Amino acid sequence: MSKTLYIGGEWISAEKKQTRRIINPFNQEEIATVCEGDRNDAVKAIAAARKAFDEGEWPVLSGLERGQFVLKIAELIRRDLNELAELESLDTGKTIEESKADMDDIANVFQYYAGLADKDGGEVISSPIPDSVSKIVREPIGVCGQITPWNYPLLQASWKIAPALAAGNTIVLKPSEITPLTTIKVFQLIEEAGIPKGAANLVLGPGASVGDELARNLDVDLVSFTGGIETGKKIMQAASGNVKKIALELGGKNPNIVFKDADLETAADQALNAVFFHAGQVCSAGSRLLVDEAIHDEFLAELIKRTKSIKLGNGFHEDTESGPLISAEHRAKVEKYVEIGIEEGAKLETGGKRPDDPALQNGFFYEPTIFSNCKSDMRIVQEEIFGPVLTVESFSSEEEVVRLANDTIYGLAGAVWSKDIEKCERVAAKLRMGTVWINDFHPYFAQAPWGGYKQSGFGRELGKIGLEEYTEIKHIYRNTKPAPVNWFQA
Ligand code: NAD
């Protein structure tokens, strides 16, 4: 892959000709070499996006026309779904089944925003001033810098690209430097869809240079970021120079609450899915299990039994249930947290080490891990580990579990399990989180907003609001009978 930056409608190399090797986390084999851009490349891409916004046709096309382009991207993603899913699994280690499901969701996101592109015709409001007409219209914000993480590389990118383009903005996107392959491919599809030059730009490279430039550059009007909380704080600071609009989708430490009157068979099955899906590298992972003390011991025993039989392996093999972690550094971070948990006095019930299987030694694998006897003030309960580690706490009342569940700086998602629906609704209403699932875990879709309370960030992606976030609101007031007011006498 020699030219992997897409700037002003051309595929080019990084100015300094630097490259990066992309590694398969399953076996550490090189799967591609891509360009490694730096700050200058970001500046170039921003200039292209600025020109395309200020002078180009994209922002002034009708919503219908923009929608047709965005729909075309959805169709091309569906056409190339298998190729995209294979790339995503090679790049992240996730199972091919997961990647295919991601690609379906991604195509749906583009289709959804294509459909919304021409739906908002503005609104005429009732003006209190006689002989006047007031209308409210939404307009694109301008140049949008978009920065995405490695855990759902293309999914997170689609939540930003599709609404931004549908609303008439021009974009510069920077994917995670370690997982750029599907994003490169989708920019090829964006080009194939015929989007005007400069409307969509791709720069690869490190966060500290390329990402920082997107946050800092005065020609960028909005920066939308998905990633870790500490990076989010840096982006807020860097973005302050021109008071650009900011959207932050940060981490989570998401409670999964199981009452004794839940369907325990389903709750146990889904508790595993909640935390161990994609090796726990999910912002909304149900990594904090809160179990009614009346069923704590039997529920925990069932989870341990099931966890021990989770099959780690090659994401391309049919019987693999979970792939590796993304990198050696990330596994080291997870291992550190497991040490911390043991020091803090939590009881390691299963996992807590790399697997012994010789076939997995070249990958960044880590066994699904459960800690019991956890307390709310432990670091393993409070901090986002972002790996296959479940902490288990018990509770004795509805009030107590609400307090425990909310006792976190995060507020991304949570779930509550019980057959008593009124109780579920009561608890859901009290959870300070952007998404609450009742008797389920993980569903999200293009039609429903996604985002966090508290330090999980601000702004929303997906849903109608996911498009509105990429618009400015303008009030146009027209006096239909202009006449002197004679405030100052002539
Ligand atoms: P990260 O913050 O390390 O990196 C995210 C992106 O930011 C990458 O593209 C990186 O290059 C870039 N970056 C790094 N430093 C930067 C800087 N100084 N300025 C600008 N950009 C910079 O996060 P990660 O490790 O890639 O992803 C994991 C995190 O993402 C977890 O905390 C997870 O919870 C979060 N996440 C949140 C959501 C959500 O919807 N809320 C979804 C997925 C992931």
Side-chain angles (χ1 to χ4, degrees), residues 149 225-233 235 248-251 384 410:
F225 168 75
T226 302
I229 198 166
E230 291 311 318
T231 317
K233 288 178 189 173
I235 285 173
L248 297 180
E249 296 287 341
L250 308 178
E384 187 188 45
Y410 292 108

Side-chain angles (χ1 to χ4, degrees), residues 72-251:
K72 179 80 186 159
I73 301 170
E75 288 164 1
L76 294 173
I77 290 170
R78 291 201 177 101
R79 183 196 70 190
D80 293 349
L81 192 138
N82 287 335
E83 184 189 344
L84 280 161
E86 280 168 24
L87 273 181
E88 199 77 306
S89 282
L90 282 173
D91 211 353
T92 61
K94 67 171 70 178
T95 65
I96 187 75
E97 201 186 334
E98 272 181 61
S99 291
K100 284 185 181 163
D102 285 357
M103 296 309 143
D104 267 336
D105 290 342
I106 290 161
N108 290 341
V109 168
F110 279 95
Q111 183 174 342
Y112 174 72
Y113 284 113
L116 281 188
D118 66 348
K119 297 297 178 290
D120 188 342
E123 187 189 2
V124 174
I125 57 165
S126 141
S127 165
I129 302 172
D131 302 320
S132 73
V133 179
S134 259
K135 63 178 178 179
I136 310 295
V137 293
R138 284 186 180 271
E139 296 181 345
I141 289 178
V143 174
C144 300
Q146 306 184 319
I147 304 171
T148 51
W150 48 258
N151 64 331
Y152 282 88
L154 192 54
L155 189 77
Q156 297 301 330
S158 73
W159 294 9
K160 300 187 192 302
I161 300 171
L165 290 180
N169 299 278
T170 60
I171 62 169
V172 180
L173 187 129
K174 188 204 93 65
S176 167
E177 51 275 42
I178 54 178
T179 55
L181 299 185
T182 47
T183 309
I184 295 171
K185 169 75 187 166
V186 151
F187 271 77
Q188 290 167 354
L189 300 182
I190 289 174
E191 181 183 40
E192 189 180 340
I195 285 186
K197 288 180 189 309
N201 303 275
L202 171 70
V203 191
L204 312 181
S209 55
V210 176
D212 181 72
E213 188 59 36
L214 293 183
R216 195 170 296 277
N217 192 293
L218 304 186
D219 272 338
V220 175
D221 302 296
L222 171 148
V223 61
S224 175
F225 168 75
T226 302
I229 198 166
E230 291 311 318
T231 317
K233 288 178 189 173
K234 286 184 195 160
I235 285 173
M236 278 181 92
Q237 285 172 346
S240 68
N242 64 337
V243 197
K244 57 172 66 68
K245 302 194 166 35
I246 312 176
L248 297 180
E249 296 287 341
L250 308 178

Side-chain angles (χ1 to χ4, degrees), residues 460-478:
R460 290 290 180 273
E461 295 192 304
L462 301 182
K464 197 162 157 270
I465 194 171
L467 184 79
E468 291 168 354
E469 297 267 23
Y470 281 101
T471 61
E472 294 273 22
I473 297 176
K474 182 181 279 177
H475 172 204
I476 300 175
Y477 170 89
R478 178 160 58 92

